[in-house]
Amino acid sequence: MNNGTFSQPSTLSLNFGVVTSMRYFYCVIVFFGYTLNLTLNLAVIATIIRHESLHQSMYVFIAALCFNGVYGSSCFYPSLFIHLLQETHSISYIACLTQVFCIHTYVSYEMSILAAMAYDRYVCICNPLRYNIIMTLPTVFKLLAGAYVQPTVLFNVHFLLTIRLPLCSSEILKIYCDNWSVVRLSCIDTTVNNYFGTLVATIVIGLMPLFTFYTYVKIFKVCLRSSKEVRQKALQICSPHLICIVNFLTASLFEILLYRFIPDKLPYELRVLMSVQPFVIPPFLNPVIYGMKMKEIKVKIVLLLRKTDFKYPINI
């Protein structure tokens, strides 16, 4: 700060700590993890796009979830890989803000898509006779449009409040940039940012999961009055979705509570592990659960691989 003005840092430092002691080993893990996530998610997306029999609401939502997994992985893995190779772990201010935007929209899209999927499950089980009438492809695309537009608009306001802040420090607590890590470096009062951040977190991590769990309460009530066969079918349809949302919600809540209230109370290694979980586990878990547990997708993936082998025979 000079003559009453603030100087915005050109670069920010990331807190890699003891991670650098085995950085080449971690580079291999990051490269393998990113490749695996891309392969699994793109395989499911390609299978759903290629086969018209899978152009139904359930599978369109799964494709959207896998696409978001590709987006989330690409927001995190490449940057981490590059910083692990560097001696000094610094990131430009513009690159940091870009990562902030990508990471937070990824989280918001994930919760929105899962909420839309919950509605799809609700209609499928609680109103099966009208399911094909209600959940038409135009309706699905409208729900997905809302799942992308609403979080984007909401976070854009949050993001604009962040980039207006002058920064007096340059040390990020994590191995990547997120909104709170940047806001805490500010030289001025951040009350407005805190209030609006609480509102965004309440909507994304509070209201959307609440809506999802409400739909499942309605589903379970219907299942209790139905036959054993209906209950088994409902469990088969709903269990992958519940696993995904509970895992993502747990990681997100831990992340918010940890770095907002007790950033120095837990060991560094545990803090790193929990902070990267939302970008490592869900993009891997979603295609595995849906691609391997849902018979229709699994069969189509096998057929796709067989066709590929046929087109490119070993003996020419």
Side-chain angles (χ1 to χ4, degrees):
M1 183 171 63
N2 298 315
N3 300 325
T5 61
F6 298 104
S7 177
Q8 202 76 287
S10 59
T11 61
L12 303 174
S13 61
L14 300 171
N15 183 18
F16 272 72
V18 296
V19 172
T20 54
S21 62
M22 299 178 64
R23 58 185 180 141
Y24 294 114
F25 171 71
Y26 290 124
C27 276
V28 174
I29 294 178
V30 168
F31 178 80
F32 176 75
Y34 185 47
T35 304
L36 182 63
N37 278 352
L38 287 183
T39 302
L40 291 173
N41 284 285
L42 291 176
V44 173
I45 294 169
T47 302
I48 292 173
I49 291 175
R50 182 161 182 167
H51 294 89
E52 290 188 10
S53 61
L54 299 180
H55 294 179
Q56 303 173 34
S57 60
M58 180 187 298
Y59 305 113
V60 173
F61 284 125
I62 292 172
L65 200 63
C66 290
F67 179 79
N68 196 52
V70 172
Y71 174 58
S73 295
S74 300
C75 294
F76 173 73
Y77 279 103
S79 173
L80 178 60
F81 184 80
I82 291 171
H83 285 116
L84 284 171
L85 291 176
Q86 295 176 339
E87 293 290 341
T88 58
H89 308 295
S90 61
I91 183 171
S92 71
Y93 178 66
I94 298 300
C96 183
L97 290 179
T98 302
Q99 190 174 48
V100 167
F101 181 85
C102 293
I103 280 177
H104 283 270
T105 50
Y106 157 71
V107 173
S108 300
Y109 295 156
E110 189 85 0
M111 297 306 298
S112 297
I113 294 169
L114 287 171
M117 291 177 72
Y119 177 72
D120 177 70
R121 301 296 189 270
Y122 167 77
V123 177
C124 177
I125 295 171
C126 298
N127 204 349
L129 298 179
R130 301 191 65 232
Y131 177 72
N132 291 328
I133 299 174
I134 297 173
M135 296 304 297
T136 60
L137 283 181
T139 301
V140 171
F141 290 132
K142 287 177 183 178
L143 287 172
L144 284 177
Y148 284 111
V149 172
Q150 182 264 340
T152 302
V153 172
L154 193 63
F155 186 71
N156 272 338
V157 178
H158 197 23
F159 187 65
L160 290 173
L161 289 173
T162 298
I163 63 177
R164 73 180 176 87
L165 297 174
L167 307 184
C168 287
S169 181
S170 61
E171 185 179 356
I172 302 292
L173 289 177
K174 301 180 183 179
I175 61 175
Y176 61 88
C177 291
D178 72 335
N179 193 71
W180 171 246
S181 296
V182 175
V183 170
R184 63 177 289 276
L185 304 178
S186 176
C187 308
I188 62 175
D189 180 61
T190 60
T191 301
V192 175
N193 295 73
N194 295 336
Y195 282 141
F196 197 81
T198 302
L199 174 64
V200 173
T202 300
I203 294 173
V204 175
I205 310 296
L207 295 182
M208 290 182 186
L210 188 64
F211 169 79
T212 301
F213 291 129
Y214 172 76
T215 61
Y216 273 99
V217 169
K218 304 289 284 186
I219 289 171
F220 291 147
K221 284 183 178 180
V222 170
C223 291
L224 290 175
R225 300 193 299 266
S226 304
S227 64
K228 183 179 179 181
E229 182 181 351
V230 172
R231 288 197 296 270
Q232 289 177 342
K233 183 179 179 181
L235 182 63
Q236 181 182 6
I237 293 174
C238 297
S239 57
H241 184 252
L242 276 176
I243 293 172
C244 290
I245 193 169
V246 169
N247 171 74
F248 198 84
L249 182 60
T250 302
S252 299
L253 284 173
F254 188 92
E255 169 73 0
I256 291 173
L257 295 175
L258 173 65
Y259 279 93
R260 289 250 177 178
F261 302 108
I262 52 170
D264 300 321
K265 300 297 182 181
L266 296 176
Y268 172 80
E269 293 81 1
L270 180 60
R271 297 204 312 269
V272 171
L273 182 65
M274 293 306 300
S275 68
V276 304
Q277 202 266 15
F279 315 102
V280 175
I281 303 299
F284 169 77
L285 193 65
N286 292 339
V288 168
I289 287 179
Y290 290 111
M292 300 305 152
K293 290 198 68 174
M294 298 195 74
K295 182 179 178 180
E296 295 85 352
I297 296 180
K298 184 163 60 176
V299 169
K300 298 299 183 184
I301 290 176
V302 172
L303 289 175
L304 185 62
L305 292 175
R306 286 179 178 175
K307 286 181 180 180
T308 302
D309 290 338
F310 176 76
K311 288 181 179 178
Y312 302 96
I314 296 176
N315 298 319
I316 300 177

